[in-house]
Amino acid sequence: MSLPRIVRSSPATLRSQIHVESLLGQQRARERATIFQFSTPCRTYGTGPNPDPGRPPFKVWPLIVITLIGTGSFNLMVRSRAAPMPAIEAPEPKPQISAPEKDTPAFSPSNVSVIFVLGGPGAGKGTQSDKLVRDFGFTHLSAGDLLRAEQDRPDSQFGNMIKENIRDGIIVPMEVTVQLLENAMTDDIKKNDGKGRFLIDGFPRKMDQALKFEESVCPSKFTLFFDCPEQTMQARLINRGKTSGRTDDNEESIKKRFKTFVETSMPVVDYFEKEGKVVKISAARGPEDVYEEVKKTMANWGFEMTN
């Protein structure tokens, strides 16, 4: 049997082999490091040691952008709540019927004669006014009739308000009544060469109406006041309500109208009486007896009968 041959290397050869093996080991180590670098995921969070000491462990700019956006939105919200709400324009009010301001009355007392006819509801103002129109050539203007005509006018902006006030026994605003009277007087005067005689029935109901009318329309000559007991007036109104068709000729409305007259219209009578411009006539009698006294009063104030 032959034994294996043992080859002995020289020292120089051994050193050369060791150097080559060392270089091969270093090459394999670099290859393994490269493979590990590409196969290992990068860190994106801040725990553990930072693999890249020269860079922060996470990106900061996204947080800065989010913070700025949030701060700006918050400030805008605060300012929008603190800023006053824009004013909402109210709808334009409808034009009102009002007596315009005047330095002098619209009509001169030398050309136009005005007699106020006052008395409680049912005192007979309308009946006596009709007789004066017939015999003395007056134009009868009833504030109540003008208001009722206005409330029934299809395009009237005051119709509902007037209707409710009349039903409840409340006096209609002064501006409306004064202007309606002036309009009616103007129409009549145009037909009579700038002259006119007017009986204004149921007006003025309040002191402001009296003062405003005399200041802006025409001073009155005097006031005819028909004085009548409340019980008599109530009986007349209830009887009239059976055929008149008026919404205010009922017991509830009558009581309200009596109360309103005493509280608001009697001060007007007292005011003109102090000026010596009131003639009181007892109206509890029959219409003809009352009218006889009315005719004497008219003669005393210089009015002659035309018929």
Side-chain angles (χ1 to χ4, degrees):
M1 175 181 294
S2 59
L3 296 172
R5 186 180 176 182
I6 300 173
V7 180
R8 295 183 182 274
S9 300
S10 66
T13 301
L14 289 173
R15 284 195 298 270
S16 177
Q17 290 177 347
I18 292 171
H19 178 69
V20 169
E21 291 176 355
S22 175
L23 291 174
L24 291 173
Q26 291 178 8
Q27 178 66 27
R28 293 190 189 98
R30 281 195 295 271
E31 291 176 354
R32 286 194 297 270
T34 301
I35 293 171
F36 178 78
Q37 180 179 1
F38 285 100
S39 62
T40 304
C42 295
R43 290 178 182 271
T44 57
Y45 46 89
T47 59
N50 188 357
D52 190 358
R55 298 176 64 185
F58 55 89
K59 295 180 179 180
V60 178
W61 66 267
L63 293 178
I64 295 175
V65 172
I66 293 172
T67 303
L68 291 175
I69 293 174
T71 303
S73 300
F74 177 77
N75 289 335
L76 287 174
M77 180 183 70
V78 171
R79 278 197 288 267
S80 66
R81 290 186 177 181
M85 291 292 291
I88 300 175
E89 294 184 2
E92 293 185 3
K94 294 182 178 179
Q96 300 288 314
I97 296 180
S98 60
E101 295 294 333
K102 300 175 183 177
D103 295 331
T104 58
F107 310 116
S108 169
S110 60
N111 296 323
V112 176
S113 298
V114 173
I115 298 177
F116 294 141
V117 182
L118 292 178
K125 301 182 296 294
T127 300
Q128 299 301 318
S129 295
D130 289 342
K131 295 179 182 298
L132 287 169
V133 169
R134 180 192 66 199
D135 296 336
F136 289 87
F138 279 90
T139 297
H140 177 209
L141 296 179
S142 168
D145 288 346
L146 290 173
L147 290 169
R148 279 184 284 274
E150 181 68 17
Q151 79 175 0
D152 294 333
R153 192 164 58 85
D155 58 344
S156 172
Q157 58 184 303
F158 301 105
N160 290 334
M161 178 268 292
I162 294 172
K163 186 178 297 182
E164 291 173 1
N165 282 26
I166 290 177
R167 182 192 62 213
D168 296 336
I170 301 173
I171 293 175
V172 173
M174 168 191 68
E175 293 82 2
V176 176
T177 309
V178 170
Q179 192 61 48
L180 290 175
L181 286 168
E182 182 177 344
N183 292 347
M185 292 173 65
T186 300
D187 291 341
D188 188 82
I189 289 171
K190 287 179 179 178
K191 301 173 185 177
N192 293 283
D193 298 327
K195 297 183 180 295
R197 288 183 172 186
F198 297 96
L199 291 173
I200 301 183
D201 170 12
F203 181 92
R205 295 285 184 91
K206 294 175 64 179
M207 277 305 306
D208 60 350
Q209 292 181 349
L211 298 176
K212 186 66 177 178
F213 183 91
E214 296 213 330
E215 171 188 292
S216 63
V217 183
C218 185
S220 64
K221 296 290 187 184
F222 66 95
T223 297
L224 272 174
F225 174 55
F226 293 100
D227 192 12
C228 189
E230 186 173 312
Q231 186 175 0
T232 302
M233 291 189 290
Q234 183 172 356
R236 290 175 180 175
L237 291 173
I238 292 175
N239 186 60
R240 184 179 71 180
K242 296 176 182 178
T243 57
S244 68
R246 286 177 49 169
T247 58
D248 57 343
D249 278 346
N250 60 78
E251 190 169 351
E252 182 179 356
S253 293
I254 290 169
K255 290 180 180 179
K256 292 178 181 179
R257 291 161 65 190
F258 285 154
K259 184 174 183 294
T260 300
F261 177 77
V262 172
E263 292 177 353
T264 62
S265 297
M266 282 307 299
V268 176
V269 176
D270 295 338
Y271 170 79
F272 283 125
E273 189 171 24
K274 291 177 182 178
E275 293 193 343
K277 293 171 59 176
V278 170
V279 177
K280 286 186 178 181
I281 296 177
S282 175
R285 300 166 291 172
E288 294 303 325
D289 293 335
V290 173
Y291 187 56
E292 287 300 319
E293 187 172 350
V294 169
K295 287 191 293 184
K296 294 177 182 178
T297 299
M298 299 303 292
N300 292 337
W301 280 86
F303 291 96
E304 298 179 354
M305 296 181 67
T306 58
N307 290 330

